[in-house]
Amino acid sequence: MNDIVLQIENVQQHYEQGDNVLSVLKGANFSLKKGETVALVAPSGTGKSTLLHLAGLLETPGDGEVYIGGRATSTLDDDARTAMRRSELGFVYQFHHLLPEFTALENIMMPQMIAGLSYKEASERAAQLLDYMRIGARASHRPAELSGGEQQRVAIARSVANAPLILLADEPTGNLDPETAGYVFEALEALVRQSGLSALIATHNHDIAALMDRRVTLRDGQVAEF
């Protein structure tokens, strides 16, 4: 259990829709090991985003437990959950969600400074991450001045700026053309491998999924090996 960084145990999640109850997860189980990359490949509407939201402490399960780094999270208050998201979890979405008024460098500095790093420390780490993502020359550009692939690489760099334990990504290359998606995922995978991160990545791209350590899917509310 020591090498398990994320454990989803017998999780159920239901949503009320008028007079009906929609059961999305039905006693789902999943584990992610330290340094492991796992692709979540499943059709829309099967619960991919729900699973990621639960793993990212953005939702609380109706039943069951989510463990982050071996720590149960269901009884944590909002402040503790926020602190854990900030220190242990990194998020990448289909849309980059960069702050338009700030440069690429500043967008990556922001979470570090919120976490307490000095301007100098945050700036140096942000510059290193941009260089690692091969877009160091674009550090002073605002998001509108970057291509889609460059924007997403900045978003990836921002997601790992605070050295999280786990990276969660929801269709991180979904808005990109196939060639650009390949470049972006190559950079993402290299960053994950180099940093020893664990990653759970939802994707419809089977070529990208095939490059990861494991592939899982969702069937009738359960996580199953692909």
Side-chain angles (χ1 to χ4, degrees):
M1 187 79 175
N2 289 339
D3 64 340
I4 302 293
V5 295
L6 168 65
Q7 182 83 32
I8 292 173
E9 193 171 276
N10 299 320
V11 162
Q12 299 188 41
Q13 194 70 326
H14 314 285
Y15 301 102
E16 293 185 5
Q17 296 185 331
D19 294 331
N20 299 316
V21 175
L22 176 65
S23 295
V24 178
L25 297 177
K26 307 171 186 178
N29 293 282
F30 171 76
S31 62
L32 180 67
K33 295 180 181 179
K34 183 177 181 180
E36 183 180 39
T37 59
V38 177
L40 175 58
V41 185
S44 298
T46 55
K48 290 198 308 295
S49 293
T50 296
L51 190 70
L52 286 170
H53 288 171
L54 289 166
L57 307 186
L58 298 172
E59 294 184 30
T60 302
D63 198 12
E65 186 59 86
V66 177
Y67 297 89
I68 303 291
R71 184 180 179 188
T73 61
S74 63
T75 58
L76 297 178
D77 61 23
D78 287 344
D79 288 345
R81 291 170 73 85
T82 298
M84 186 171 276
R85 281 197 300 270
R86 186 180 298 146
S87 63
E88 306 291 348
L89 303 168
F91 299 88
V92 183
Y93 300 98
Q94 187 169 344
F95 184 71
H96 58 76
H97 295 296
L98 298 173
L99 298 172
E101 65 271 32
F102 294 102
T103 66
L105 187 78
E106 291 166 341
N107 266 280
I108 302 170
M109 290 173 61
M110 201 77 60
Q112 299 179 74
M113 295 181 69
I114 291 171
L117 266 69
S118 69
Y119 183 96
K120 182 175 184 294
E121 290 171 320
S123 177
E124 288 175 352
R125 175 155 173 79
Q128 289 171 354
L129 286 168
L130 284 172
D131 284 342
Y132 197 85
M133 298 300 285
R134 300 178 185 175
I135 48 171
R138 311 293 276 169
S140 62
H141 291 66
R142 288 180 170 80
E145 301 170 313
L146 302 173
S147 69
E150 289 170 340
Q151 291 170 346
Q152 200 63 335
R153 278 186 272 180
V154 174
I156 291 167
R158 179 184 59 184
S159 74
V160 301
N162 283 341
L165 186 66
I166 302 163
L167 178 68
L168 302 167
D170 194 354
E171 297 288 350
T173 61
N175 283 336
L176 306 175
D177 64 81
E179 184 176 3
T180 303
Y183 289 139
V184 169
F185 183 77
E186 182 182 321
L188 170 60
E189 185 185 36
L191 187 59
V192 167
R193 301 292 188 193
Q194 185 271 340
S195 60
L197 269 171
S198 304
L200 174 60
I201 302 174
T203 180
H204 282 109
N205 189 319
H206 288 267
D207 291 334
I208 285 175
L211 299 174
M212 296 189 228
D213 296 326
R214 279 196 297 138
R215 290 176 292 169
V216 298
T217 189
L218 286 161
R219 296 194 188 104
D220 193 29
Q222 300 278 340
V223 180
E225 293 295 322
F226 194 84

